[in-house]
Amino acid sequence: MTRHGNGSGDAVGDGELLPVGRRVAYWRGRRKLSQQVFADRLGKSKSWVDKVERGVRSLDRVSTLQEVAAVLRIDTAVLLGRDVQPSRVVERTAEVERIREALSRYEISLA
C-alpha cells in the first residue's frame, strides 16, 4: 500500500489505514487544489467533494474512482489503499539482483 514516503496503506504515514475520502482530501491538498477547483475538474459540485472527503458519500463506482485518481495524478490503487509498486522499482530490484549475482561470482585474490 502506498504511504507518503514508505509504502504503507495510509496517505499520511501514521500507520492507520485511512478511508478513501480522507485519502482524496490528502492528495487534493498535496496537489494544492481547493475543493471548488477539484470539483470543477471532475464536473461535480463542491458539496459532492466535501461529502466524499467526510465519508458521507462513498466512491463506489470504478469509473468515478478512476476520474478522481486521474485529476489527482495518482494510481487508483492509492485511493483504495492497495499495494502499489511502480514498475521502475520492480525493474531496479531485478537489476540490483543481477548485480549482486555478478559480484558474488567475482573472485578476489587476497595474495
Side-chain angles (χ1 to χ4, degrees):
M1 295 186 222
T2 301
R3 176 197 286 189
H4 173 61
N6 74 5
S8 171
D10 61 355
V12 293
D14 62 5
E16 182 179 319
L17 187 63
L18 295 176
V20 173
R22 296 283 296 154
R23 279 195 220 84
V24 170
Y26 172 80
W27 285 104
R28 180 183 57 76
R30 290 285 313 250
R31 301 297 183 238
K32 299 185 182 347
L33 299 172
S34 68
Q35 283 187 336
Q36 186 63 58
V37 169
F38 183 56
D40 291 345
R41 290 185 183 178
L42 286 169
K44 305 282 187 187
S45 68
K46 180 181 175 192
S47 173
W48 182 90
V49 171
D50 183 60
K51 287 176 183 175
V52 166
E53 291 182 352
R54 290 186 294 122
V56 174
R57 180 178 192 104
S58 64
L59 293 176
D60 52 1
R61 298 180 81 192
V62 173
S63 59
T64 305
L65 276 167
Q66 290 171 335
E67 291 171 18
V68 168
V71 169
L72 294 173
R73 299 185 325 267
I74 59 174
D75 194 290
T76 306
V78 172
L79 288 179
L80 298 174
R82 296 194 178 142
D83 286 334
V84 177
Q85 255 200 344
S87 60
R88 289 188 296 180
V89 172
V90 173
E91 291 168 9
R92 286 182 185 159
T93 301
E95 291 172 1
V96 168
E97 286 306 312
R98 285 193 296 273
I99 292 169
R100 282 187 179 137
E101 288 173 19
L103 290 173
S104 68
R105 290 189 304 261
Y106 187 75
E107 292 183 24
I108 301 173
S109 174
L110 298 176

